[in-house]
Amino acid sequence: PPPSAARLDLDGSPIAPLTICMIGAGGFIGSHLCEKLMAETNHVVFAVDVYCDKIRHLVDPAPPHLAGRISFHRLNIKNDSRLEGLIKMADLTINLAAICTPADYNTRPLDTIYSNFIDALPVVKYCSENNKRLIHFSTCEVYGKTIGSFLPSDHPLRKEPEFYVLKEDESPCIFGPIVKQRWSYACAKQLIERLIFAEGAENGLEFTIVRPFNWIGPRMDFIPGVDGPSEGVPRVLACFSNNLLRREPLKLVDGGQSQRTFVYIKDAIEAVLLMIENPARANGQIFNVGNPNNEVTVRELAEMMTEVYGNVSGEPPLDEPMIDVSSEQFYGEGYDDSDKRIPDMTIINKQLGWNPKTPLKDLLETTLTYQHKTYKEAIKRQMSQASAS
Ligand code: NAD
Ligand code: UDP
């Protein structure tokens, strides 16, 4: 049955059905957002992407109960004149399209800059010219390194929150030098944020900027050699999943000392739905979306994933479950890293009353159960073929 029309926003007003142009809808976040919008709302989605594998169950073909609710538009926003028409027909545009895997930042710096800045320009322009609302996906990487990271490692001030907690309206953006091309991504994202902010200030664009802090869960990226290139390097969740599925050691880059906070994709999607449906509270805002309670070093993440995967698969641990690799070996020249990422949650809490719920252990259990179920057989087949030939 269709969801009831009587859903209310945070101020108690009925939510009117929206038409949403979602660019990058076929990606990790887009696929979860499409599912959520189809399951719990009456909104209509134009799903724009160059591929649709992750939303095939929703669009190819759309199941009968979703007829008229979601359509897939295969187009590259770099060079397709249909984009403006779709934005004009929609009430709201959500832009998720980006190159956003660290392995690309220093090896494909031009594509990274074009994708995250140049290709987003027409989207911002069409929204501004046609008075359409825009929710743009930026990144927590715009904060770069923490202030505390420049202090000696045993300095007591490193423990003070003002030296590491990342605040939307106060923290500086601290990037490394130009030769460290890792920061080209962060810099491109920062400039598009500034441009959107300026469109708001000078031309009245209604915008919301989202800064995701390591959202993870099922369907993130790809497993190399199964549903992505064998030599491809996805983000850490998929790298470690791939290692566990193949029973090879997890690779810790530069000792795995960097710290991250991981949030479950389904918690984060709740925050995005609140932004979509509460424009008066979300317009003009930049929101951190993360889980400050789920902080680990990359080494701790590797240990936890190894333990959880052992329980899920019933496979015994390896003698050597982890190995160290240098960032140069793993990513190549020009790699650098964010040291620590704790999101301040004051603004999203105040505006939208949102808080993350799922502890890291629980989200890893759900996610690794999915990885095992989805990929284990394919990997077994592939490995036995390789050993036979
Ligand atoms: P993703 O790579 O899974 O999704 C991006 C989608 O955009 C892909 O499906 C891709 O095909 C599509 N796309 C890219 N260029 C396109 C183009 N020119 N035309 C049409 N489609 C195009 O990544 P994701 O994790 O879903 O991230 C979505 C957004 O959130 C990105 O802007 C990313 O920078 C941001 N973000 C995500 C995270 C996270 O934790 N997942 C963290 C920080 C920032
Ligand atoms: N990393 C790692 N081993 C891997 C993949 C990633 O040690 O196989 C590290 C990487 O160097 C970084 C962290 O894990 O410190 C998170 O990387 P990810 O690609 O998920 O994205 P980031 O959070 O840096 O944007």
Side-chain angles (χ1 to χ4, degrees):
S4 111
R7 296 175 57 251
L8 302 179
D9 69 15
L10 291 171
D11 298 302
S13 307
I15 296 165
L18 297 167
T19 299
I20 301 171
C21 174
M22 195 193 300
I23 306 167
F28 163 58
I29 296 175
S31 72
H32 286 274
L33 187 54
C34 286
E35 272 183 0
K36 180 85 170 175
L37 289 166
M38 291 305 112
E40 294 181 22
T41 78
N42 280 323
H43 306 311
V44 168
V45 173
F46 304 149
V48 174
D49 206 305
V50 289
Y51 90 136
C52 69
D53 295 12
K54 296 182 186 189
I55 50 169
R56 203 171 284 286
H57 57 299
L58 299 175
V59 300
D60 188 24
H65 72 282
L66 296 181
R69 296 270 324 280
I70 184 163
S71 53
F72 179 62
H73 304 262
R74 188 182 304 276
L75 61 92
N76 187 330
I77 62 164
K78 268 185 196 301
N79 49 27
D80 200 305
S81 58
R82 288 172 293 174
L83 179 65
E84 184 171 12
L86 290 169
I87 290 176
K88 277 185 174 169
M89 277 193 292
D91 305 299
L92 160 69
T93 293
I94 301 179
N95 189 11
L96 294 150
I99 288 177
C100 53
T101 34
D104 292 320
Y105 305 161
N106 58 315
T107 55
R108 299 168 58 201
L110 283 175
D111 287 341
T112 300
I113 294 167
Y114 272 80
S115 168
N116 285 286
F117 182 65
I118 309 283
D119 300 346
L121 287 174
V123 177
V124 179
K125 181 169 155 256
Y126 298 148
C127 288
S128 191
E129 286 172 356
N130 295 290
N131 298 313
K132 302 290 183 177
R133 206 182 150 211
L134 171 66
I135 298 182
H136 185 83
F137 273 70
S138 180
T139 172
C140 59
E141 283 222 16
V142 296
Y143 294 108
K145 300 180 187 235
T146 64
I147 306 174
S149 71
F150 295 90
L151 294 167
S153 60
D154 55 352
H155 199 287
L157 284 177
R158 276 191 172 228
K159 298 222 161 57
E160 295 297 322
E162 57 266 44
F163 285 80
Y164 63 82
V165 173
L166 304 170
K167 297 190 178 181
E168 296 94 329
D169 51 357
E170 283 179 29
S171 298
C173 301
I174 308 175
F175 304 157
I178 304 301
V179 288
K180 298 286 188 194
Q181 295 195 83
R182 155 86 187 215
W183 302 108
S184 296
Y185 168 71
C187 190
K189 287 281 205 197
Q190 185 193 150
L191 192 53
I192 199 76
E193 279 199 24
R194 289 187 185 275
L195 184 104
I196 291 167
F197 193 88
E199 280 289 349
E202 289 195 35
N203 295 326
L205 173 69
E206 293 185 332
F207 72 86
T208 303
I209 289 169
V210 186
R211 291 181 178 166
F213 281 65
N214 293 79
W215 301 8
I216 62 173
R219 290 200 291 265
M220 184 167 197
D221 298 337
F222 57 90
I223 295 298
V226 180
D227 51 9
S230 343
E231 298 309 312
V233 179
R235 287 171 282 187
V236 67
L237 176 84
C239 283
F240 286 175
S241 299
N242 183 41
N243 299 143
L244 291 164
L245 287 157
R246 294 180 192 278
R247 295 188 58 70
E248 52 190 42
L250 280 56
K251 296 191 175 115
L252 299 178
V253 171
D254 292 340
Q257 288 314 299
S258 299
Q259 290 167 298
R260 293 289 187 273
T261 50
F262 293 95
V263 64
Y264 187 37
I265 181 70
K266 292 196 192 290
D267 290 354
I269 290 293
E270 297 270 351
V272 182
L273 187 59
L274 286 166
M275 293 173 205
I276 294 172
E277 299 190 326
N278 293 276
R281 290 164 176 259
N283 282 345
Q285 299 289 342
I286 300 177
F287 290 118
N288 287 344
V289 181
N291 188 336
N293 308 315
N294 279 349
E295 188 181 38
V296 281
T297 62
V298 173
R299 180 179 291 275
E300 286 163 346
L301 175 73
E303 288 164 358
M304 255 177 134
M305 285 182 66
T306 304
E307 188 200 321
V308 170
Y309 187 75
N311 295 338
V312 165
S313 67
E315 292 167 15
L318 298 178
D319 294 338
E320 193 189 28
M322 280 156 229
I323 51 167
D324 284 320
V325 293
S326 72
S327 55
E328 173 109 44
Q329 267 175 309
F330 193 79
Y331 290 112
E333 209 179 311
Y335 181 77
D336 199 353
D337 208 349
S338 302
D339 54 302
K340 183 175 175 78
R341 288 184 184 155
I342 304 273
D344 184 88
M345 294 275 94
T346 311
I347 294 183
I348 192 159
N349 211 296
K350 173 162 169 274
Q351 295 300 116
L352 303 174
W354 179 83
N355 278 305
K357 297 193 264 275
T358 314
L360 186 56
K361 189 80 183 281
D362 295 2
L363 79 85
L364 289 178
E365 263 162 28
T366 313
T367 306
L368 291 176
T369 302
Y370 171 89
Q371 303 288 55
H372 184 70
K373 199 174 88 196
T374 309
Y375 293 108
K376 188 65 197 187
E377 286 309 313
I379 286 192
K380 261 195 212 154
R381 269 198 307 277
Q382 196 191 52
M383 290 173 83
S384 66
Q385 275 164 10
S387 63
S389 63

